[in-house]
Amino acid sequence: MKLIKFGSAALAATMAFSAAPVFAADNSPIQGDVNKRPGVTEATVDGIKIEVTDSAITDEKVLEVVNDEQKVKDILKENGYKVPTGATVVVLGEGDYSYEVNGKTEELKQAVEMSFDAAGLAAKDGDQVFVLHLKHDGKWEVISAVVEKGIIKVTLDGLSPVAFYKVVDEKTGKVVEITKEEAAQAGVNTTTAKVEKKSPNTGI
């Protein structure tokens, strides 16, 4: 099932005329909706600022995962976040982020503290947002964050494709907050929708 993609204007129009998100007949993204790529307001490694660039995700295998609702739900569940019955996952934005030195892309496989600009995304302060990051080993890490003053702050294990989601009630369109299940906190070997590593520049 394809995920719906909402730009802020599209979401506002939808919520003005309907209590729930609108899907096409085949559950594909609605034509004309804009999929945003959040910009990076700051990125640091061990407290030192680094230069990060963003671009569209072009790898078809990665896109097949980040835009498929069931695959995203499976990844969330394996990381302790089970989407409840009656709720759906909405993709807010996605992008491929990389580290550059003197204009040249360098591979980075260590923890990076990232601040993403949520302006233009269909999310407001206080909303829970799930950040899915494709690590260099082809597995997905999931970070639960909250939008604060228009910023989404997370610590990622390196740089590569990232996708942003929120979970909403199918009837009301309101954000559904999900608490991580204790049973999953010991760690799950995430194998669902694993993407084969291909490029040292993107970590996939």
mmCIF file with all atom_site columns, all heavy atoms in Angstrom, residues 79-96:
data_model
loop_
_atom_site.group_PDB
_atom_site.id
_atom_site.type_symbol
_atom_site.label_atom_id
_atom_site.label_alt_id
_atom_site.label_comp_id
_atom_site.label_asym_id
_atom_site.label_entity_id
_atom_site.label_seq_id
_atom_site.pdbx_PDB_ins_code
_atom_site.Cartn_x
_atom_site.Cartn_y
_atom_site.Cartn_z
_atom_site.occupancy
_atom_site.B_iso_or_equiv
_atom_site.pdbx_formal_charge
_atom_site.auth_seq_id
_atom_site.auth_comp_id
_atom_site.auth_asym_id
_atom_site.auth_atom_id
_atom_site.pdbx_PDB_model_num
ATOM 1   N N   . ASN A 1 79 ? 10.869 -1.969 15.819 1.00 0.00 ? 79 ASN A N   1
ATOM 2   C CA  . ASN A 1 79 ? 11.636 -1.088 16.696 1.00 0.00 ? 79 ASN A CA  1
ATOM 3   C C   . ASN A 1 79 ? 10.834 -0.652 17.915 1.00 0.00 ? 79 ASN A C   1
ATOM 4   O O   . ASN A 1 79 ? 11.209 0.293  18.608 1.00 0.00 ? 79 ASN A O   1
ATOM 5   C CB  . ASN A 1 79 ? 12.120 0.131  15.912 1.00 0.00 ? 79 ASN A CB  1
ATOM 6   C CG  . ASN A 1 79 ? 13.299 -0.186 15.014 1.00 0.00 ? 79 ASN A CG  1
ATOM 7   O OD1 . ASN A 1 79 ? 14.450 -0.071 15.418 1.00 0.00 ? 79 ASN A OD1 1
ATOM 8   N ND2 . ASN A 1 79 ? 13.031 -0.622 13.796 1.00 0.00 ? 79 ASN A ND2 1
ATOM 9   N N   . GLY A 1 80 ? 9.717  -1.351 18.171 1.00 0.00 ? 80 GLY A N   1
ATOM 10  C CA  . GLY A 1 80 ? 8.949  -1.110 19.393 1.00 0.00 ? 80 GLY A CA  1
ATOM 11  C C   . GLY A 1 80 ? 7.785  -0.155 19.274 1.00 0.00 ? 80 GLY A C   1
ATOM 12  O O   . GLY A 1 80 ? 7.142  0.157  20.271 1.00 0.00 ? 80 GLY A O   1
ATOM 13  N N   . TYR A 1 81 ? 7.478  0.321  18.055 1.00 0.00 ? 81 TYR A N   1
ATOM 14  C CA  . TYR A 1 81 ? 6.388  1.275  17.867 1.00 0.00 ? 81 TYR A CA  1
ATOM 15  C C   . TYR A 1 81 ? 5.291  0.642  17.004 1.00 0.00 ? 81 TYR A C   1
ATOM 16  O O   . TYR A 1 81 ? 5.361  0.697  15.773 1.00 0.00 ? 81 TYR A O   1
ATOM 17  C CB  . TYR A 1 81 ? 6.897  2.558  17.210 1.00 0.00 ? 81 TYR A CB  1
ATOM 18  C CG  . TYR A 1 81 ? 7.939  3.283  18.020 1.00 0.00 ? 81 TYR A CG  1
ATOM 19  C CD1 . TYR A 1 81 ? 9.297  3.151  17.723 1.00 0.00 ? 81 TYR A CD1 1
ATOM 20  C CD2 . TYR A 1 81 ? 7.575  4.094  19.098 1.00 0.00 ? 81 TYR A CD2 1
ATOM 21  C CE1 . TYR A 1 81 ? 10.254 3.811  18.473 1.00 0.00 ? 81 TYR A CE1 1
ATOM 22  C CE2 . TYR A 1 81 ? 8.530  4.759  19.852 1.00 0.00 ? 81 TYR A CE2 1
ATOM 23  C CZ  . TYR A 1 81 ? 9.873  4.605  19.534 1.00 0.00 ? 81 TYR A CZ  1
ATOM 24  O OH  . TYR A 1 81 ? 10.824 5.260  20.279 1.00 0.00 ? 81 TYR A OH  1
ATOM 25  N N   . LYS A 1 82 ? 4.312  0.053  17.645 1.00 0.00 ? 82 LYS A N   1
ATOM 26  C CA  . LYS A 1 82 ? 3.240  -0.614 16.927 1.00 0.00 ? 82 LYS A CA  1
ATOM 27  C C   . LYS A 1 82 ? 2.118  0.378  16.613 1.00 0.00 ? 82 LYS A C   1
ATOM 28  O O   . LYS A 1 82 ? 1.537  0.985  17.501 1.00 0.00 ? 82 LYS A O   1
ATOM 29  C CB  . LYS A 1 82 ? 2.681  -1.770 17.753 1.00 0.00 ? 82 LYS A CB  1
ATOM 30  C CG  . LYS A 1 82 ? 1.608  -2.580 17.023 1.00 0.00 ? 82 LYS A CG  1
ATOM 31  C CD  . LYS A 1 82 ? 1.123  -3.746 17.872 1.00 0.00 ? 82 LYS A CD  1
ATOM 32  C CE  . LYS A 1 82 ? 0.056  -4.541 17.130 1.00 0.00 ? 82 LYS A CE  1
ATOM 33  N NZ  . LYS A 1 82 ? -0.430 -5.679 17.949 1.00 0.00 ? 82 LYS A NZ  1
ATOM 34  N N   . VAL A 1 83 ? 1.825  0.527  15.316 1.00 0.00 ? 83 VAL A N   1
ATOM 35  C CA  . VAL A 1 83 ? 0.759  1.429  14.901 1.00 0.00 ? 83 VAL A CA  1
ATOM 36  C C   . VAL A 1 83 ? -0.581 0.783  15.252 1.00 0.00 ? 83 VAL A C   1
ATOM 37  O O   . VAL A 1 83 ? -0.866 -0.330 14.820 1.00 0.00 ? 83 VAL A O   1
ATOM 38  C CB  . VAL A 1 83 ? 0.822  1.700  13.384 1.00 0.00 ? 83 VAL A CB  1
ATOM 39  C CG1 . VAL A 1 83 ? -0.344 2.587  12.947 1.00 0.00 ? 83 VAL A CG1 1
ATOM 40  C CG2 . VAL A 1 83 ? 2.158  2.352  13.026 1.00 0.00 ? 83 VAL A CG2 1
ATOM 41  N N   . PRO A 1 84 ? -1.408 1.441  16.052 1.00 0.00 ? 84 PRO A N   1
ATOM 42  C CA  . PRO A 1 84 ? -2.676 0.845  16.488 1.00 0.00 ? 84 PRO A CA  1
ATOM 43  C C   . PRO A 1 84 ? -3.696 0.735  15.360 1.00 0.00 ? 84 PRO A C   1
ATOM 44  O O   . PRO A 1 84 ? -3.614 1.447  14.350 1.00 0.00 ? 84 PRO A O   1
ATOM 45  C CB  . PRO A 1 84 ? -3.159 1.810  17.574 1.00 0.00 ? 84 PRO A CB  1
ATOM 46  C CG  . PRO A 1 84 ? -2.570 3.120  17.185 1.00 0.00 ? 84 PRO A CG  1
ATOM 47  C CD  . PRO A 1 84 ? -1.220 2.800  16.618 1.00 0.00 ? 84 PRO A CD  1
ATOM 48  N N   . THR A 1 85 ? -4.651 -0.165 15.562 1.00 0.00 ? 85 THR A N   1
ATOM 49  C CA  . THR A 1 85 ? -5.751 -0.307 14.608 1.00 0.00 ? 85 THR A CA  1
ATOM 50  C C   . THR A 1 85 ? -6.516 1.011  14.513 1.00 0.00 ? 85 THR A C   1
ATOM 51  O O   . THR A 1 85 ? -6.761 1.668  15.512 1.00 0.00 ? 85 THR A O   1
ATOM 52  C CB  . THR A 1 85 ? -6.711 -1.427 15.065 1.00 0.00 ? 85 THR A CB  1
ATOM 53  O OG1 . THR A 1 85 ? -5.978 -2.651 15.169 1.00 0.00 ? 85 THR A OG1 1
ATOM 54  C CG2 . THR A 1 85 ? -7.849 -1.600 14.072 1.00 0.00 ? 85 THR A CG2 1
ATOM 55  N N   . GLY A 1 86 ? -6.874 1.383  13.312 1.00 0.00 ? 86 GLY A N   1
ATOM 56  C CA  . GLY A 1 86 ? -7.601 2.642  13.136 1.00 0.00 ? 86 GLY A CA  1
ATOM 57  C C   . GLY A 1 86 ? -6.700 3.832  12.900 1.00 0.00 ? 86 GLY A C   1
ATOM 58  O O   . GLY A 1 86 ? -7.180 4.967  12.785 1.00 0.00 ? 86 GLY A O   1
ATOM 59  N N   . ALA A 1 87 ? -5.385 3.585  12.825 1.00 0.00 ? 87 ALA A N   1
ATOM 60  C CA  . ALA A 1 87 ? -4.433 4.666  12.569 1.00 0.00 ? 87 ALA A CA  1
ATOM 61  C C   . ALA A 1 87 ? -3.676 4.380  11.281 1.00 0.00 ? 87 ALA A C   1
ATOM 62  O O   . ALA A 1 87 ? -3.533 3.229  10.869 1.00 0.00 ? 87 ALA A O   1
ATOM 63  C CB  . ALA A 1 87 ? -3.454 4.816  13.728 1.00 0.00 ? 87 ALA A CB  1
ATOM 64  N N   . THR A 1 88 ? -3.213 5.425  10.641 1.00 0.00 ? 88 THR A N   1
ATOM 65  C CA  . THR A 1 88 ? -2.449 5.274  9.409  1.00 0.00 ? 88 THR A CA  1
ATOM 66  C C   . THR A 1 88 ? -1.169 6.092  9.497  1.00 0.00 ? 88 THR A C   1
ATOM 67  O O   . THR A 1 88 ? -1.053 7.010  10.306 1.00 0.00 ? 88 THR A O   1
ATOM 68  C CB  . THR A 1 88 ? -3.287 5.722  8.185  1.00 0.00 ? 88 THR A CB  1
ATOM 69  O OG1 . THR A 1 88 ? -2.605 5.371  6.987  1.00 0.00 ? 88 THR A OG1 1
ATOM 70  C CG2 . THR A 1 88 ? -3.518 7.232  8.204  1.00 0.00 ? 88 THR A CG2 1
ATOM 71  N N   . VAL A 1 89 ? -0.204 5.725  8.660  1.00 0.00 ? 89 VAL A N   1
ATOM 72  C CA  . VAL A 1 89 ? 1.089  6.410  8.642  1.00 0.00 ? 89 VAL A CA  1
ATOM 73  C C   . VAL A 1 89 ? 1.132  7.380  7.465  1.00 0.00 ? 89 VAL A C   1
ATOM 74  O O   . VAL A 1 89 ? 0.793  7.019  6.343  1.00 0.00 ? 89 VAL A O   1
ATOM 75  C CB  . VAL A 1 89 ? 2.245  5.396  8.523  1.00 0.00 ? 89 VAL A CB  1
ATOM 76  C CG1 . VAL A 1 89 ? 3.578  6.131  8.482  1.00 0.00 ? 89 VAL A CG1 1
ATOM 77  C CG2 . VAL A 1 89 ? 2.222  4.415  9.684  1.00 0.00 ? 89 VAL A CG2 1
ATOM 78  N N   . VAL A 1 90 ? 1.528  8.617  7.732  1.00 0.00 ? 90 VAL A N   1
ATOM 79  C CA  . VAL A 1 90 ? 1.618  9.639  6.690  1.00 0.00 ? 90 VAL A CA  1
ATOM 80  C C   . VAL A 1 90 ? 3.074  10.059 6.534  1.00 0.00 ? 90 VAL A C   1
ATOM 81  O O   . VAL A 1 90 ? 3.743  10.388 7.510  1.00 0.00 ? 90 VAL A O   1
ATOM 82  C CB  . VAL A 1 90 ? 0.768  10.878 7.062  1.00 0.00 ? 90 VAL A CB  1
ATOM 83  C CG1 . VAL A 1 90 ? 0.951  11.976 6.013  1.00 0.00 ? 90 VAL A CG1 1
ATOM 84  C CG2 . VAL A 1 90 ? -0.698 10.509 7.187  1.00 0.00 ? 90 VAL A CG2 1
ATOM 85  N N   . VAL A 1 91 ? 3.574  10.012 5.313  1.00 0.00 ? 91 VAL A N   1
ATOM 86  C CA  . VAL A 1 91 ? 4.944  10.450 5.066  1.00 0.00 ? 91 VAL A CA  1
ATOM 87  C C   . VAL A 1 91 ? 4.954  11.968 4.943  1.00 0.00 ? 91 VAL A C   1
ATOM 88  O O   . VAL A 1 91 ? 4.183  12.564 4.182  1.00 0.00 ? 91 VAL A O   1
ATOM 89  C CB  . VAL A 1 91 ? 5.535  9.781  3.807  1.00 0.00 ? 91 VAL A CB  1
ATOM 90  C CG1 . VAL A 1 91 ? 4.710  10.074 2.579  1.00 0.00 ? 91 VAL A CG1 1
ATOM 91  C CG2 . VAL A 1 91 ? 6.976  10.230 3.594  1.00 0.00 ? 91 VAL A CG2 1
ATOM 92  N N   . LEU A 1 92 ? 5.817  12.609 5.728  1.00 0.00 ? 92 LEU A N   1
ATOM 93  C CA  . LEU A 1 92 ? 5.898  14.067 5.751  1.00 0.00 ? 92 LEU A CA  1
ATOM 94  C C   . LEU A 1 92 ? 6.979  14.588 4.811  1.00 0.00 ? 92 LEU A C   1
ATOM 95  O O   . LEU A 1 92 ? 6.859  15.666 4.240  1.00 0.00 ? 92 LEU A O   1
ATOM 96  C CB  . LEU A 1 92 ? 6.208  14.551 7.174  1.00 0.00 ? 92 LEU A CB  1
ATOM 97  C CG  . LEU A 1 92 ? 5.211  14.142 8.259  1.00 0.00 ? 92 LEU A CG  1
ATOM 98  C CD1 . LEU A 1 92 ? 5.751  14.556 9.624  1.00 0.00 ? 92 LEU A CD1 1
ATOM 99  C CD2 . LEU A 1 92 ? 3.852  14.748 7.994  1.00 0.00 ? 92 LEU A CD2 1
ATOM 100 N N   . GLY A 1 93 ? 8.044  13.827 4.682  1.00 0.00 ? 93 GLY A N   1
ATOM 101 C CA  . GLY A 1 93 ? 9.155  14.259 3.844  1.00 0.00 ? 93 GLY A CA  1
ATOM 102 C C   . GLY A 1 93 ? 10.224 13.191 3.808  1.00 0.00 ? 93 GLY A C   1
ATOM 103 O O   . GLY A 1 93 ? 10.216 12.250 4.611  1.00 0.00 ? 93 GLY A O   1
ATOM 104 N N   . GLU A 1 94 ? 11.151 13.334 2.888  1.00 0.00 ? 94 GLU A N   1
ATOM 105 C CA  . GLU A 1 94 ? 12.235 12.364 2.761  1.00 0.00 ? 94 GLU A CA  1
ATOM 106 C C   . GLU A 1 94 ? 13.377 13.007 1.995  1.00 0.00 ? 94 GLU A C   1
ATOM 107 O O   . GLU A 1 94 ? 13.175 13.920 1.184  1.00 0.00 ? 94 GLU A O   1
ATOM 108 C CB  . GLU A 1 94 ? 11.746 11.109 2.033  1.00 0.00 ? 94 GLU A CB  1
ATOM 109 C CG  . GLU A 1 94 ? 11.165 11.400 0.664  1.00 0.00 ? 94 GLU A CG  1
ATOM 110 C CD  . GLU A 1 94 ? 10.352 10.244 0.095  1.00 0.00 ? 94 GLU A CD  1
ATOM 111 O OE1 . GLU A 1 94 ? 9.668  9.548  0.855  1.00 0.00 ? 94 GLU A OE1 1
ATOM 112 O OE2 . GLU A 1 94 ? 10.409 10.071 -1.131 1.00 0.00 ? 94 GLU A OE2 1
ATOM 113 N N   . GLY A 1 95 ? 14.584 12.541 2.254  1.00 0.00 ? 95 GLY A N   1
ATOM 114 C CA  . GLY A 1 95 ? 15.733 13.098 1.556  1.00 0.00 ? 95 GLY A CA  1
ATOM 115 C C   . GLY A 1 95 ? 16.977 12.265 1.797  1.00 0.00 ? 95 GLY A C   1
ATOM 116 O O   . GLY A 1 95 ? 17.028 11.436 2.704  1.00 0.00 ? 95 GLY A O   1
ATOM 117 N N   . ASP A 1 96 ? 17.986 12.487 0.954  1.00 0.00 ? 96 ASP A N   1
ATOM 118 C CA  . ASP A 1 96 ? 19.267 11.798 1.085  1.00 0.00 ? 96 ASP A CA  1
ATOM 119 C C   . ASP A 1 96 ? 20.280 12.840 1.557  1.00 0.00 ? 96 ASP A C   1
ATOM 120 O O   . ASP A 1 96 ? 20.533 13.834 0.859  1.00 0.00 ? 96 ASP A O   1
ATOM 121 C CB  . ASP A 1 96 ? 19.680 11.211 -0.269 1.00 0.00 ? 96 ASP A CB  1
ATOM 122 C CG  . ASP A 1 96 ? 20.779 10.175 -0.133 1.00 0.00 ? 96 ASP A CG  1
ATOM 123 O OD1 . ASP A 1 96 ? 21.345 10.060 0.973  1.00 0.00 ? 96 ASP A OD1 1
ATOM 124 O OD2 . ASP A 1 96 ? 21.075 9.483  -1.127 1.00 0.00 ? 96 ASP A OD2 1
#
